[in-house]
Amino acid sequence: MYDRHEVSVKVALYSSDGKRTLLMRHWGDAGFGLPGGHIDAGEMPDAALERELREELGITIDATPADFYVRDPYDTTAKNHKIILGYTATIDGDVELPAQACDGSEEGPVWLTRAEVEATDKLAPGYRDFLLKRWP
């Protein structure tokens, strides 16, 4: 049995030309994640996504709810049941992003092409499937 249900919002951000997606690189070589984060108590999902994107990337976007999924639903060792509400959006590929790690060397935002997303083993399969299924 799970100790609690954790709900997060994540967004697949695609460049307006459809050639790249914006991911968050984790410290070291831990891998990539989608922009977004946890929903605070009493917060609506759309508001949580807006807050997270302001905090992480300094941007405001119009995102479309796309899907939801449960991370590792068959992982019996997990203490938390994680539900992820997925969104999609398109942004200008030249949008000004936070200075840290725009080159992809540290934690922060990094643009990847579809081929790079398909080739990396540093992205959770659920995130990869979500990105590729909705790629413009």
Side-chain angles (χ1 to χ4, degrees):
M1 198 63 160
Y2 296 109
D3 290 345
R4 66 184 189 139
H5 297 282
E6 188 177 300
V7 183
S8 295
V9 288
K10 299 289 183 173
V11 64
L13 287 173
Y14 303 100
S15 61
S16 54
D17 64 6
K19 294 182 180 179
R20 300 176 297 161
T21 188
L22 186 70
L23 298 177
M24 300 302 291
R25 181 185 293 274
H26 301 297
W27 282 111
D29 199 23
F32 302 103
L34 298 178
H38 304 290
I39 298 175
D40 290 338
E43 192 174 35
M44 296 301 291
D46 291 357
L49 184 63
E50 182 178 330
R51 175 184 51 75
E52 287 287 346
L53 293 179
R54 258 193 337 267
E55 291 172 4
E56 291 180 359
L57 301 171
I59 62 173
T60 302
I61 60 166
D62 288 322
T64 303
D67 205 348
F68 76 93
Y69 59 96
V70 177
R71 183 185 69 184
D72 294 330
Y74 303 108
D75 182 358
T76 57
T77 64
K79 289 190 175 226
N80 297 328
H81 189 216
K82 189 162 193 169
I83 300 168
I84 300 171
L85 306 176
Y87 289 74
T88 60
T90 302
I91 62 171
D92 183 350
D94 295 326
V95 66
E96 188 174 325
L97 298 171
Q100 85 275 11
C102 286
D103 65 354
S105 62
E106 296 179 19
E107 183 175 67
V110 60
W111 287 102
L112 293 182
T113 65
R114 183 181 180 106
E116 290 169 326
V117 168
E118 290 172 339
T120 186
D121 63 351
K122 302 291 184 183
L123 182 64
Y127 289 162
R128 177 183 291 109
D129 295 345
F130 183 78
L131 283 168
L132 296 175
K133 182 178 178 183
R134 288 159 183 82
W135 202 287

